[in-house]
Amino acid sequence: MGVDEDGLVTRRTEIEQGLAGVRERISRACASAHRPDDVTLVVVTKTYPASDVRILAELGVRDVGENRHQEAASKFAECADLGLSWHMIGQLQRNKAAAVVRWADVIETIDRPELADAVGRSAVAYGAERDVLLQVNLDQPVRAERGGCAPEDVRALCDHVAAVTGLQVRGVMGVAPHPGEPEEAFARLARIAAEVREVIPGATVLSAGMSDDLEAAIAHGATHVRVGSAVLGRRPTLQ
Ligand SMILES: *Cc1c(COP(=O)(O)O)cnc(C)c1O
């Protein structure tokens, strides 16, 4: 079982083990933080094939993350029967908004008003509301090429996106500086998330933490972690 006739560990077993390890880490981090074990695991499937997405679904994963719209669109088409929730976690250009709303249930990388407007218009045209997160840049100083809104601009972005038809602001998303100190960055993100909730009480999602820093994110209130390599293995190319 889990080993094919040549004695090789099957991909399913590999993924099952990766997933068990990450779920265990999440449970332990929740226990240490005296939180209920209710953090949502978004498995980041970028660069991995649709067959892996299918295995993940069989193993109980409900949320997957992708960062390139073209790769995601074709994987989504192959996996449309699985009923998964697809998260766009990559930087997004306005001219890709119409393509992204066709596969993404949640767009985690809204970082400027014009992008929100484009995604909102596309969602309305497609006939489906989309959940969005406001991406906050946690680099100090802010590094625009990494995506994300500067912390001091989040309030204005929040006010703007709250009024865009077709979008529901569900919370905030951030990527820790690299190299950097995730604890301090996630503490800042948690404060910004609280400010956003003052404007939009229903914006309760805090998407933070990846393979290397999910414990720090959970300690600072992450409701969602986005984990790729710790579940699926190291990606062949830098992403
Ligand atoms: C690739 C990626 C992840 C997952 O990274 P791992 O280190 O493989 O867990 C999470 N968030 C974003 C925005 C990513 O691009």
Side-chain angles (χ1 to χ4, degrees), residues 44 46 67 89 173 175 210-211 226-230 235 239:
V44 177
K46 64 187 182 195
N67 71 338
I89 62 166
M173 178 272 216
V175 178
M210 322 198 321
S211 292
R226 309 175 308 270
V227 181
S229 49
R235 287 178 294 276
Q239 287 291 315

Side-chain angles (χ1 to χ4, degrees), residues 42 62-65 83-87 103 105-106:
V42 179
R62 304 312 313 155
D63 295 84
V64 292
L84 297 173
S85 180
W86 293 73
H87 297 239
W103 62 266
D105 300 283
V106 187

Side-chain angles (χ1 to χ4, degrees), residues 5-190:
E5 49 219 36
D6 299 322
L8 297 169
V9 177
T10 62
R11 182 64 175 144
R12 188 191 161 94
T13 302
E14 226 167 51
I15 293 176
E16 199 167 18
Q17 288 169 351
L19 201 53
V22 168
R23 284 177 170 153
E24 176 62 32
R25 283 175 61 191
I26 291 171
S27 297
R28 273 200 308 256
C30 288
S32 308
H34 307 290
R35 297 179 46 183
D37 190 352
D38 60 0
V39 172
T40 300
L41 170 60
V42 179
V43 178
V44 177
T45 47
K46 64 187 182 195
T47 78
Y48 285 101
S51 53
D52 281 0
V53 177
R54 199 159 283 280
I55 292 170
L56 287 165
E58 284 166 14
L59 296 171
V61 169
R62 304 312 313 155
D63 295 84
V64 292
E66 288 282 339
N67 71 338
R68 291 203 192 133
H69 81 94
Q70 227 156 6
E71 177 189 342
S74 65
K75 239 178 263 183
F76 170 79
E78 283 183 70
C79 297
D81 58 308
L82 300 176
L84 297 173
S85 180
W86 293 73
H87 297 239
M88 172 53 166
I89 62 166
Q91 279 180 261
L92 182 53
Q93 301 304 317
R94 262 189 297 177
N95 62 359
K96 300 296 187 307
V100 165
V101 298
R102 302 182 81 90
W103 62 266
D105 300 283
V106 187
I107 296 140
E108 298 205 10
T109 47
I110 297 295
D111 60 1
R112 52 203 194 281
E114 316 78 63
L115 178 62
D117 292 342
V119 174
R121 271 195 307 274
S122 299
V124 169
Y126 188 57
E129 278 209 334
R130 290 296 178 238
D131 288 343
V132 298
L133 304 183
L134 307 181
Q135 184 185 355
V136 183
N137 188 292
L138 297 174
D139 296 299
Q140 287 183 318
V142 167
R143 290 168 57 197
E145 75 279 10
R146 300 234 303 156
C149 175
E152 62 270 27
D153 297 333
V154 171
R155 177 59 199 262
L157 180 65
C158 184
D159 289 342
H160 183 94
V161 185
V164 174
T165 308
L167 304 184
Q168 288 291 336
V169 180
R170 297 297 184 194
V172 301
M173 178 272 216
V175 178
H178 185 77
E181 178 41 64
E183 292 278 350
E184 185 276 333
F186 291 145
R188 269 188 288 134
L189 184 62

